[in-house]
Amino acid sequence: MIPVTSTSDPETPDPLILLIDDNEVDQFLTRRAFAQSGFRVRLETVDDGDQALKFLRRQPPFESAPVPHLVLLDINMPRMGGKDVLRAMKSDETLRRIPVVALTTSQSDRDKQEMYDLRANSYIIKPVDFNAFVEIVRSLCQYWFRTVTLPPN
């Protein structure tokens, strides 16, 4: 969990984001980008699709896991990839309303098409430049946590 300064209402809990990414360096950089974004969020991470679905379904060892407000999903992961996770989420009545943003290095048109066909809410290509990544995180937070009205958890 990473708290960051915010002008949000102190009565409202910080939004929870579930980051699903098998790359430890990408997890670290994503945490840093959120820390520098100026938004308060709680960031939970899991390393693969199997763990992600256990977290989302509150299965062991995640029985007390909170429901995330947003999922950031890498596409290319071992065992169960991002497309399979998204397919499982969108076919599950209790998970389908959670917004899912593909956050990936893939620039493949086929990957983009497949993720949108599977009902991803957005597709973001991770920039190489860290400052550009921080700006993307700011935009993401502004849109999902200040502009959009999310469904109730």
Side-chain angles (χ1 to χ4, degrees):
M1 179 167 62
I2 54 172
V4 183
T5 40
S6 171
T7 57
S8 65
D9 179 3
E11 301 289 316
T12 306
D14 296 335
L16 175 67
I17 298 171
L18 177 62
L19 173 63
I20 307 167
D21 195 322
D22 65 311
N23 187 305
E24 289 182 20
V25 173
D26 286 345
Q27 289 179 11
F28 173 78
L29 291 173
T30 302
R31 284 189 180 284
R32 279 195 54 216
F34 274 98
Q36 292 184 24
S37 73
F39 284 85
R40 289 185 59 90
V41 299
R42 295 173 293 151
L43 185 62
E44 296 286 340
T45 59
V46 292
D47 297 329
D48 62 46
D50 292 326
Q51 284 186 340
L53 291 177
K54 286 178 182 177
F55 183 100
L56 292 164
R57 293 174 175 153
R58 297 179 175 163
Q59 296 171 340
F62 303 104
E63 297 90 343
S64 61
V67 177
H69 296 92
L70 180 68
V71 169
L72 299 179
L73 178 61
D74 187 25
I75 293 177
N76 300 309
M77 295 181 291
R79 291 181 281 187
M80 178 183 280
K83 293 171 188 172
D84 295 323
V85 172
L86 184 58
R87 185 178 293 109
M89 286 181 69
K90 296 304 180 177
S91 65
D92 185 315
E93 193 172 317
T94 61
L95 303 177
R96 71 176 60 156
R97 288 187 190 96
I98 300 171
V100 177
V101 173
L103 183 62
T104 182
T105 57
S106 174
Q107 297 184 26
S108 159
D109 287 341
R110 182 176 181 181
D111 283 341
K112 294 173 199 171
Q113 186 66 48
E114 283 183 77
M115 291 302 282
Y116 280 117
D117 285 348
L118 292 168
R119 294 179 291 223
N121 297 90
S122 299
Y123 191 101
I124 297 174
I125 298 170
K126 297 176 193 175
V128 176
D129 179 72
F130 181 72
N131 291 328
F133 189 40
V134 172
E135 286 307 312
I136 284 173
V137 165
R138 280 189 188 119
S139 295
L140 184 138
C141 287
Q142 178 66 39
Y143 180 74
W144 286 108
F145 304 128
R146 292 207 178 144
T147 303
V148 171
T149 300
L150 293 170
N153 279 351

